[in-house]
């Protein structure tokens, strides 16, 4: 069995990393708009101010507690650079950029809608018509160019007003607010957008709850409640989409990767099991439709009590995700053994160093088998259609004097990963809807807030401090991926 004839090849972006125009046409601020730039050794900061005039910054590190000061309000301060404010300026390069994607032959383009561009405070009475008009242009241009839109409702873009007033998703008031937002978009784009995602990497609530859920108080209780509230909101979104347009499909988006034991010690195998449970819990609920016993036992041990009602669980069971999409960039290694070589770079996200795999400069493993392993894990567990919506290689690409970018390393990475993907379909029988590489065009790195870590098929002249012409240049991988799409993945050379 080869890839389906209507396989949705494409690429992905996120508004907070790419769009820019952060204060234009009535847009409000979101959680990322108060995050500074950083690097692979220096974390991004959230800037804040108190009523007495005191200002400061708090570092945000993936997987680490977020110690936000009490009574501080996240806000924009002078003398800091906020890369989300301009991104790589899709807001003013819309037609040019979508034209480049169409030139590659994209069948699908995944992008996010910036919630605060539609409702500046998140829960405004009236919709911001200028915000809807911008996304009308995006969607209509995609359709005119033959690209299916895949739209993420919330990609680390919780409106800042909701962060400040409700501690983000830790408050149940967020559920009806999100439901109104989702219904607004479903009704507006009915007949034009078929595929939707609710929350980008929903399990970021555990690892990066400020980005994933707008939490300033990131206690275990608040993270658990935030996840629950997003599960209920997602179920309500599925319900609304099916009622508004039966052709709409609403999927989950999960950060997922292969996890290996460092040794054959059974204790290491148990650690892998626990790591996988922590990763897959979110899919067990949002796609599987039920809370797994292992998580309920964990909550009981930790004294976590959810603010819930019986209807929550009825909704979760009745309206699970229609398909399961995920990001997968590499793999991770865990061990119970002390004094084991730790992975370098990327602020420690990767845990133990894998001696069999190379990494990029940010410590991310380059694993040629991760997609086949991850696809099989998800297919065997849920038996719902899958979609790879993020997979790619961050690298410090160099623009040559003659305007070329020779990114053989990215082509080699993609060759191996797409081979792994195809093996999952052709050998193992996984039902796969599509593949949208991260990222379609260079944008600001979410994890580090820098431009140096580039992912796209198209180079954008922009540096880590926001300098540059914003001119677009095709990389060598542009023409390579164009051939991959033209042959439906048969030509990977």
């Amino acid at each position: 069995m080869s890839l389906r004839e209507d396989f949705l090849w494409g690429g992905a972006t996120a508004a907070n990393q790419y769009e820019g125009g952060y204060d234009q046409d009535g847009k409000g601020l979101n959680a990322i708009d108060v995050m500074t730039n950083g690097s692979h050794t220096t974390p991004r900061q959230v800037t804040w101010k108190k009523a007495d005039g005191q200002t400061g910054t708090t570092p945000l590190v993936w997987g680490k507690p977020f110690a936000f000061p009490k009574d501080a309000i996240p806000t924009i301060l002078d003398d800091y650079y906020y890369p989300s404010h301009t991104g790589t300026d899709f807001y003013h390069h819309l037609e040019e950029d979508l034209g480049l994607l169409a030139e590659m032959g994209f069948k699908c383009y995944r992008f996010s809608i910036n919630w605060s561009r539609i409702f500046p405070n998140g829960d405004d009475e009236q919709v911001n018509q200028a915000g809807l008009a911008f996304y009308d242009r995006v969607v209509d241009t995609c359709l005119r160019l033959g690209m299916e839109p895949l739209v993420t409702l919330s990609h680390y873009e919780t409106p800042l007003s909701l962060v400040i007033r409700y501690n983000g998703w830790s408050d149940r008031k967020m559920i009806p607010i999100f439901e109104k937002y989702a219904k607004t978009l479903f009704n507006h784009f009915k007949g034009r957008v078929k595929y939707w995602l609710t929350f980008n990497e929903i399990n970021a609530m555990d690892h990066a709850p400020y980005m994933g859920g707008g939490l300033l108080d990131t206690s275990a209780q608040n993270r658990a409640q935030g996840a629950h509230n997003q599960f209920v909101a997602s179920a309500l979104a599925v319900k609304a989409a099916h009622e508004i347009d039966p052709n709409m499909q609403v999927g989950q988006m999960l950060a997922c990767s292969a996890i290996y034991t460092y040794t054959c010690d059974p204790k290491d195998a148990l650690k892998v099991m626990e790591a996988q449970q922590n990763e897959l819990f979110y899919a067990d609920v949002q796609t599987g439709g039920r809370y797994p016993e292992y998580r309920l036992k964990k909550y009981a041990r930790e004294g976590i009590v959810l603010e819930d009602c019986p209807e929550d669980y009825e909704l979760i069971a009745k309206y699970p995700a229609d398909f399961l999409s995920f990001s997968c960039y590499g793999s991770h290694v865990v061990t119970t053994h002390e004094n084991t070589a730790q992975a370098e770079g990327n602020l420690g996200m990767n845990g133990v160093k894998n001696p069999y795999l190379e990494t990029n400069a940010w410590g991310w493993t380059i694993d040629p088998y991760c997609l086949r392993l991850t696809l099989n894990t998800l297919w065997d567990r849920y038996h719902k259609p899958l979609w790879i919506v993020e997979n790619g290689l961050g690298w410090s690409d160099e623009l040559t004097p003659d305007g070329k970018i020779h990114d053989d390393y990215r082509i080699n990475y993609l060759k191996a990963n797409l081979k792994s993907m195809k093996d999952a379909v052709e050998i193992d029988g996984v039902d796969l809807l599509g593949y949208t590489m991260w990222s379609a065009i260079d944008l600001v790195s979410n994890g580090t807030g820098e431009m140096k870590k580039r992912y796209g098929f198209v180079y954008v002249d922009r540096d880590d401090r926001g300098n540059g012409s914003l001119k677009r240049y095709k990389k060598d991988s542009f023409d390579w991926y164009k051939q991959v799409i033209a042959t439906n993945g048969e030509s990977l050379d």
Side-chain angles (χ1 to χ4, degrees):
M1 180 177 69
S2 58
L3 298 178
R4 58 174 71 203
E5 290 185 6
D6 60 350
F7 191 77
L8 290 168
W9 292 98
T13 61
N16 72 85
Q17 298 168 254
Y18 175 46
E19 196 174 88
Y22 86 105
D23 61 351
Q24 295 190 20
D25 296 325
K27 178 188 168 296
L29 296 178
N30 65 43
I32 309 300
D33 288 332
V34 293
M35 286 181 61
T36 68
N37 61 325
S39 71
H40 70 291
T41 57
T42 304
R44 303 183 73 176
Q45 311 278 326
V46 177
T47 55
W48 49 263
K49 184 176 183 178
K50 292 188 176 183
D52 62 4
Q54 180 185 357
T55 62
T57 66
T58 298
L60 195 153
V61 181
W62 191 279
K64 303 292 184 182
F66 183 53
F68 199 75
K70 186 177 181 181
D71 300 326
I73 302 297
T75 190
I76 294 171
L77 301 175
D78 294 334
D79 302 324
Y80 290 93
Y81 175 56
Y82 300 92
S84 71
H85 292 189
T86 51
T88 46
D89 201 32
F90 177 60
Y91 203 72
H92 300 103
H93 291 77
L94 187 159
E95 285 80 8
E96 176 187 2
D97 286 0
L98 294 181
L100 286 166
L101 306 189
E103 185 181 339
M104 271 187 284
F106 273 32
K107 309 297 183 186
C108 174
Y109 171 47
R110 179 194 171 209
F111 64 94
S112 68
I113 288 181
N114 207 323
W115 186 346
S116 59
R117 198 177 289 285
I118 306 303
F119 293 106
N121 295 293
D123 59 351
D124 305 77
E125 186 70 25
Q126 300 297 323
V127 67
N128 176 28
Q129 293 296 332
L132 281 179
F134 171 72
Y135 293 110
D136 278 332
R137 290 174 56 208
V138 177
V139 168
D140 291 346
T141 303
C142 283
L143 295 175
R144 177 172 57 81
L145 296 174
M147 295 185 289
E148 190 83 48
L150 170 60
V151 180
T152 310
L153 291 170
S154 181
H155 192 134
Y156 299 162
E157 289 139 1
T158 307
L160 189 63
S161 177
L162 302 180
V163 172
I164 295 169
R165 286 184 285 145
Y166 300 129
N167 189 35
W169 276 95
S170 68
D171 195 316
R172 283 186 66 94
K173 294 185 181 72
M174 292 289 289
I175 297 172
I177 293 171
F178 183 83
E179 183 183 16
K180 176 184 175 181
Y181 166 61
K183 284 182 175 179
T184 299
L185 295 177
F186 294 158
N187 279 305
H188 186 79
F189 292 105
K190 178 181 179 180
R192 289 186 287 166
V193 177
K194 177 180 179 181
Y195 297 108
W196 299 85
L197 304 175
T198 49
F199 300 99
N200 180 71
E201 295 183 331
I202 189 170
N203 47 331
M205 188 66 73
D206 268 341
H207 308 296
Y210 174 77
M211 287 193 289
L215 272 63
L216 297 174
D217 179 349
T218 62
S219 68
Q221 173 66 44
N222 283 337
R223 296 198 307 273
Q225 188 65 52
H228 181 78
N229 294 340
Q230 287 191 346
F231 293 145
V232 177
S234 184
L236 286 168
V238 173
K239 179 177 183 291
H242 292 176
E243 291 172 351
I244 291 169
D245 183 352
N247 291 318
M248 284 184 184
Q249 295 186 32
V250 181
Q252 177 182 1
M253 201 298 206
L254 181 75
C256 196
S257 62
I259 304 174
Y260 305 140
T261 61
Y262 187 71
T263 73
C264 54
D265 184 340
K267 293 179 181 178
D268 277 6
L270 284 173
K271 193 170 181 68
V272 167
M273 181 191 76
E274 292 168 357
Q276 288 179 327
Q277 286 178 341
N278 288 335
E279 187 172 75
L280 297 176
F281 152 66
Y282 288 83
D284 285 348
V285 182
Q286 193 178 353
T287 298
R290 56 182 291 274
Y291 267 77
E293 286 75 10
Y294 62 80
R295 181 54 69 120
L296 296 176
K297 291 284 190 181
K298 175 180 169 65
Y299 285 171
R301 288 193 303 272
E302 297 179 356
I304 292 172
V305 179
L306 296 176
E307 182 184 352
D308 58 7
C309 62
E311 184 185 11
D312 292 351
Y313 301 96
E314 294 170 5
L315 286 166
I316 288 168
K318 190 173 182 180
Y319 300 104
D322 295 315
F323 60 92
L324 175 54
S325 72
F326 65 98
S327 61
C328 180
Y329 293 89
S331 56
H332 303 276
V333 178
V334 298
T335 185
T336 59
H337 293 254
E338 298 181 359
N339 302 320
T340 306
Q342 298 295 302
E344 298 177 356
N346 206 50
L347 306 175
M349 278 175 55
N350 282 336
V352 179
K353 183 176 177 60
N354 190 327
Y356 298 97
L357 296 176
E358 296 179 353
T359 66
N360 69 359
W362 289 265
W364 291 42
T365 56
I366 300 172
D367 187 338
Y369 303 105
C370 65
L371 286 185
R372 183 178 181 185
L373 291 164
T374 303
L375 284 164
N376 272 276
T377 295
L378 297 175
W379 175 246
D380 290 345
R381 196 174 183 108
Y382 305 109
H383 282 281
K384 282 200 171 181
L386 302 176
W387 198 330
I388 302 165
V389 293
E390 289 186 30
N391 170 252
L393 180 67
W395 207 271
S396 182
D397 298 332
E398 297 293 336
L399 181 67
T400 65
D402 60 349
K404 306 293 183 181
I405 302 93
H406 302 302
D407 57 342
D408 290 347
Y409 39 84
R410 181 168 293 107
I411 293 172
N412 291 333
Y413 170 94
L414 292 174
K415 281 181 182 179
N417 276 258
L418 294 180
K419 171 66 165 58
S420 183
M421 176 190 82
K422 289 182 62 183
D423 285 347
V425 174
E426 297 171 358
I427 298 174
D428 308 319
V430 168
D431 184 4
L432 187 62
L433 296 173
Y435 173 91
T436 55
M437 198 276 272
W438 188 269
S439 59
I441 293 177
D442 282 352
L443 38 65
V444 177
S445 167
N446 174 68
T448 62
E450 59 188 330
M451 274 300 305
K452 184 178 181 181
K453 185 183 180 188
R454 297 174 179 272
Y455 283 91
F457 295 115
V458 176
Y459 182 98
V460 179
D461 180 25
R462 195 75 164 175
D463 68 15
D464 289 344
R465 293 296 303 175
N467 302 308
S469 67
L470 292 170
K471 184 176 179 180
R472 275 63 170 149
Y473 299 86
K474 300 174 188 176
K475 303 179 187 179
D476 288 353
S477 56
F478 182 103
D479 291 321
W480 177 84
Y481 194 54
K482 181 177 180 178
Q483 181 65 19
V484 170
I485 297 174
T487 62
N488 200 27
E490 292 301 312
S491 174
L492 296 180
D493 296 326

